[in-house]
Amino acid sequence: MPVGHFPLEDKLIVVTGGGSGICLAFVRLAMESGARGVLICDLKLLPEAENTLSDKVRFMKCDVSSWSNLEAIPSKVQQAFGPNAVADIYIAGAAIFEPEWSSWLYDTENQGGYHAMRVNAEHPMKLTRIAMRSCLSVNKPCVVLILSSVAGVYGGYATAMYCATKHAITGFTKSMAQADVDESCKIVAILPGQVSTPLWTGPAAKKVAAQFQYREKNSISAEEVAEAMKEMIEDEEGRYPGGSLLGVSKEKGRELFESLQGIVGDGSAAFRRWEDGVFEPVREVFRRERGARL
C-alpha cells in the first residue's frame, strides 16, 4: 500500500549531510514540525548546527563514502532513541562537488574510483537499501528523500562528473517508484537549483564560486528547499508518490519533473502477468526481510 500522507510529527529522522546547508535547515524544520527525534550523520557540524543538538537531535560522525559507517546508522538510532527505535524518514543529503584530488577532468582518480560518485550517487542508493531493510524488518512504512539537483536532469560541460552523479540518483529514484506500491517505502528526490549554502559560499568553494560567477541574488535559501522537502514527505494532497522528482529554483519555483518508467503497459491482464513475473525476484527478497525482527 502506498505511503500517502506522512506527517513529520512524531517521526524519527536520519539526515546525512545535516551538519550544514539545506539539510541543517531541514533538521530545524523537522523539529519545529514536532519530529520525535533527528540523527544528524555528517563528518562535522558547523557551529550553528552544534546549537541544534539536544536530547532530540543527536550527532553521529559519519563518512558517507564508507559503507561500514552507513551500516552503523540503524544501531546509532537505537542508541540515541531507544533499543527498539527504527527511523521512519531518511534524508540522503550529503553531497560534494568533484574534488581535484579525485577528478575526471584532471585525471587524478585512484584505484578506489571517483570520490564524488561514491558520495553523491552510491551513498543515497546504499542508504535507501538500509532504510528499506530496517523498516521492512519491523513492518512499518518509510520515506527516503534523496537530495539531487537540477543537474540530475540537465547536462553541463564544466560539471560533467557532478551531473553524472546526480543523473545516477535521478534514475535510481524513478526506478524505485514501485517500492511505494509494493512495500510502503516511498523513495523521492528533490532537485534544487542554485542554493545559498556552504557548498557555494564556504572557504573551500571560492574557486568554484568564481568560475560559475555565483551571485546570492540568483540563489534560493536553504530554508526554501527544506520547505519543499517537507511538502514531498508529508504529501497531504497526494502529489508526490514514490519516484517523484521535484525541482525548486529561483527561476522556475517548484517544478515537478516527469518520472516515466521504462515500460508503460496497457493495463491488460497479460501485461500485469508479465510485470508480476519481472518484479517477482525483487518482491521475494523484500518478503524475506519483512517482519524479520517481529
Side-chain angles (χ1 to χ4, degrees), residues 3-293:
V3 170
H5 183 41
F6 207 67
L8 298 185
E9 187 175 6
D10 294 327
K11 300 297 192 298
L12 286 177
I13 306 173
V14 166
V15 183
T16 67
S20 64
I22 293 169
C23 291
L24 176 57
F26 179 80
V27 170
R28 290 171 171 154
L29 182 59
M31 296 314 299
E32 291 170 6
S33 301
R36 176 183 162 193
V38 178
L39 178 66
I40 297 174
C41 305
D42 210 333
L43 288 172
K44 63 181 180 180
L45 298 173
L46 291 185
E48 54 265 37
E50 291 179 357
N51 294 333
T52 69
L53 297 182
S54 67
D55 289 344
K56 291 187 175 183
V57 180
R58 303 294 187 87
F59 172 66
M60 169 189 176
K61 186 174 182 179
C62 179
D63 176 359
V64 298
S65 70
S66 165
W67 282 12
S68 62
N69 278 202
L70 292 175
E71 289 283 7
I73 289 174
S75 62
K76 188 65 177 181
V77 170
Q78 293 176 355
Q79 292 173 27
F81 302 111
N84 297 316
V86 175
D88 306 277
I89 297 166
Y90 299 76
I91 308 297
I96 58 171
F97 288 136
E98 182 181 8
E100 289 190 3
W101 57 266
S102 178
S103 166
W104 176 86
L105 179 62
Y106 298 111
D107 264 351
T108 53
E109 75 278 6
N110 56 35
Q111 294 300 312
Y114 295 112
H115 189 62
M117 187 65 72
R118 191 78 168 179
V119 172
N120 295 2
E122 293 183 19
H123 127 252
M125 295 180 193
K126 185 61 176 177
L127 186 66
T128 298
R129 190 65 183 92
I130 291 167
M132 292 187 69
R133 187 189 330 123
S134 297
C135 289
L136 286 169
S137 74
V138 293
N139 202 28
K140 67 186 289 186
C142 70
V143 174
V144 180
L145 186 145
I146 298 173
L147 185 60
S148 183
S149 166
V150 293
V153 291
Y154 303 116
Y157 189 41
T159 54
M161 171 60 70
Y162 183 78
C163 288
T165 66
K166 296 302 185 177
H167 272 70
I169 55 174
T170 296
F172 175 74
T173 300
K174 290 192 290 186
S175 300
M176 293 303 295
Q178 191 67 27
D180 191 10
V181 178
D182 284 1
E183 311 299 343
S184 296
C185 296
K186 185 174 92 165
I187 294 91
V188 294
I190 191 93
L191 283 65
Q194 190 168 279
V195 184
S196 178
T197 71
L199 199 64
W200 285 104
T201 62
K206 288 183 178 180
K207 183 176 180 180
V208 172
Q211 178 185 357
F212 290 94
Q213 301 179 49
Y214 170 82
R215 297 291 183 272
E216 184 86 14
K217 66 179 182 180
N218 298 326
S219 301
I220 59 174
S221 69
E223 289 72 22
E224 288 176 88
V225 182
E227 287 284 357
M229 292 163 69
K230 176 182 175 178
E231 182 178 309
M232 285 198 91
I233 293 166
E234 296 195 327
D235 200 15
E236 293 186 58
E237 299 178 1
R239 297 182 60 206
Y240 308 111
S244 294
L245 310 170
L246 179 64
V248 54
S249 65
K250 184 82 168 183
E251 181 182 2
K252 296 185 178 180
R254 295 188 186 181
E255 179 182 13
L256 194 58
F257 290 99
E258 193 172 31
S259 183
L260 295 178
Q261 293 292 296
I263 298 176
V264 180
D266 58 7
S268 67
F271 176 79
R272 289 197 300 272
R273 285 194 298 271
W274 174 86
E275 188 177 59
D276 285 343
V278 171
F279 291 166
E280 176 55 27
V282 181
R283 290 167 172 164
E284 172 58 25
V285 170
F286 293 140
R287 278 197 297 269
R288 290 197 300 267
E289 293 180 356
R290 185 171 292 281
R293 282 177 52 189

